[in-house]
Amino acid sequence: MEVMKRLHICGGILKAEGILLLGVAAVHMAVIPLLKSTFAAHITPADFRTIWSPFLLGFSVMGLLLIPLGLTTWLAGQGVIRRERWAFRIGLINAVTVLCLPVTLVLVMERRYFDAVPFVIGSILVTIVGLSMLWPLLWVRNDFTDARSSLAS
C-alpha cells in the first residue's frame, strides 16, 4: 500500500479517536449532576459530604484532561497526514497515555468493581481505543523514519 494512503488512514483514525475522546470528556462533565443525585440518594448526608468533593474533583479533572488529550490526538491526525514528525510523537504519547488507563484500573481498583458490567465494558472500550490509536502509528512509523533520512540526503 502506498505511503500516502497509509498516512491518510492513520491520520483519519487518530482524528476519529480525538473526536471520540472529546465526546468522552463531554459525557464526563454532563453526568456530574446525575451522579450527584445518585450519590445523595443512596448514602447518608454525612457520607455524601465526605465522599462527594474528592469524587467530584477526580471525575471532573478526568473530564477536563480528556479535552486536551482529544484535541492533541485530533491535531496529531492532521499532522500525520502531512508526515510531520511531531504529530507521530504526540500521537504515540497520547496512545500510550490512553493505554495506561486500563492498566491503572487493574492495578488500583478493587476486584469487586470488575463484577459490574458497565465498569468492565468501559475498561474494555478504553483498551480498544488505546490500541486503535497505537497500531496505526506503529503501521506508519517507518514512513516517518524514511522522511527524516530523505531530508538528511
Side-chain angles (χ1 to χ4, degrees), residues 35-95:
L35 291 172
K36 183 176 184 178
S37 62
T38 302
F39 271 62
H42 289 91
I43 59 177
T44 68
D47 287 343
F48 179 80
R49 284 191 302 277
T50 302
I51 292 170
W52 180 248
S53 290
F55 176 83
L56 177 61
L57 176 65
F59 203 79
S60 59
V61 165
M62 178 71 165
L64 288 172
L65 291 177
L66 282 167
I67 295 170
L69 185 66
L71 286 173
T72 56
T73 299
W74 186 84
L75 289 170
Q78 292 283 89
V80 162
I81 292 169
R82 293 188 302 266
R83 211 172 180 180
E84 295 173 355
R85 192 139 183 87
W86 68 264
F88 175 81
R89 290 178 179 146
I90 295 298
L92 195 60
I93 289 166
N94 288 358

Side-chain angles (χ1 to χ4, degrees), residues 88-129:
F88 175 81
R89 290 178 179 146
I90 295 298
L92 195 60
I93 289 166
N94 288 358
V96 171
T97 298
V98 171
L99 281 171
C100 285
L101 296 174
V103 173
T104 302
L105 288 176
V106 169
L107 293 174
V108 303
M109 297 303 291
E110 296 176 24
R111 297 293 167 237
R112 65 185 169 102
Y113 289 103
F114 290 93
D115 292 337
V117 173
F119 190 85
V120 172
I121 290 171
S123 300
I124 291 169
L125 288 175
V126 167
T127 305
I128 291 169
V129 168

